[in-house]
Amino acid sequence: MSLKAYLVEDSPVIRENLVGFLEDVTETQVLAVAGSEDEAVAWLKRHRDDWDLTIVDLFLERGNGLGVLDACRQRAPHQKVVVLSNYATAEMRDRSRLLGADAFFDKSAELDQLVAYCETLHETSSHG
């Protein structure tokens, strides 16, 4: 079973690269993508139980990733939400954690850690 992921990222190039990268390198299937906070929140409301992992960028076309994190608060225990952003300051990491993010990865330097995180989640979900 693949990990079912939802990607919230406003850059089409990064989105396309990330989907390909995650699907090639990890046991992850990206179900859907969104580029704005409204679009992401609407999808999450309609697909409450359909995902295992949501990956959120902080800066979006409209709105921001913090609003998406907030919308994920009422999730099942196995559902994880991580932030993937270039804006990896200590303050943003803390704010993300306070809004319920399970992890925070720097887009430019921590993709290996994201891959490892996906692999760990996949192992956990396939044995549960």
Side-chain angles (χ1 to χ4, degrees), residues 1-5 26-29 50-53 76-80 116-128:
M1 284 282 292
S2 295
L3 201 61
K4 294 194 225 34
T26 68
E27 291 281 324
T28 303
Q29 174 197 2
D50 299 347
W51 56 276
D52 303 308
L53 174 66
H78 77 277
Q79 292 176 311
K80 302 297 179 194
Y117 188 87
C118 289
E119 287 169 352
T120 303
L121 272 187
H122 181 257
E123 287 165 18
T124 310
S125 67
S126 56
H127 298 307

Side-chain angles (χ1 to χ4, degrees), residues 3-6 31 43-55 71-82 100-103 117 121 124-125:
L3 201 61
K4 294 194 225 34
Y6 180 50
L31 301 174
W43 189 92
L44 287 162
K45 282 183 180 155
R46 285 195 313 272
H47 300 90
R48 199 172 296 276
D49 302 318
D50 299 347
W51 56 276
D52 303 308
L53 174 66
T54 292
I55 301 169
C72 291
R73 280 182 186 264
Q74 303 300 314
R75 63 185 182 270
H78 77 277
Q79 292 176 311
K80 302 297 179 194
V81 179
V82 302
D102 295 293
Y117 188 87
L121 272 187
T124 310
S125 67

Side-chain angles (χ1 to χ4, degrees), residues 50-103:
D50 299 347
W51 56 276
D52 303 308
L53 174 66
T54 292
I55 301 169
V56 183
D57 184 14
L58 291 175
F59 293 101
L60 303 172
E61 286 167 13
R62 292 182 311 283
N64 64 59
L66 298 174
V68 179
L69 284 179
D70 199 41
C72 291
R73 280 182 186 264
Q74 303 300 314
R75 63 185 182 270
H78 77 277
Q79 292 176 311
K80 302 297 179 194
V81 179
V82 302
V83 173
L84 182 64
S85 176
N86 285 322
Y87 197 62
T89 64
E91 183 194 354
M92 287 319 290
R93 288 176 188 266
D94 288 344
R95 282 187 68 187
S96 298
R97 203 169 299 113
L98 287 172
L99 282 170
D102 295 293

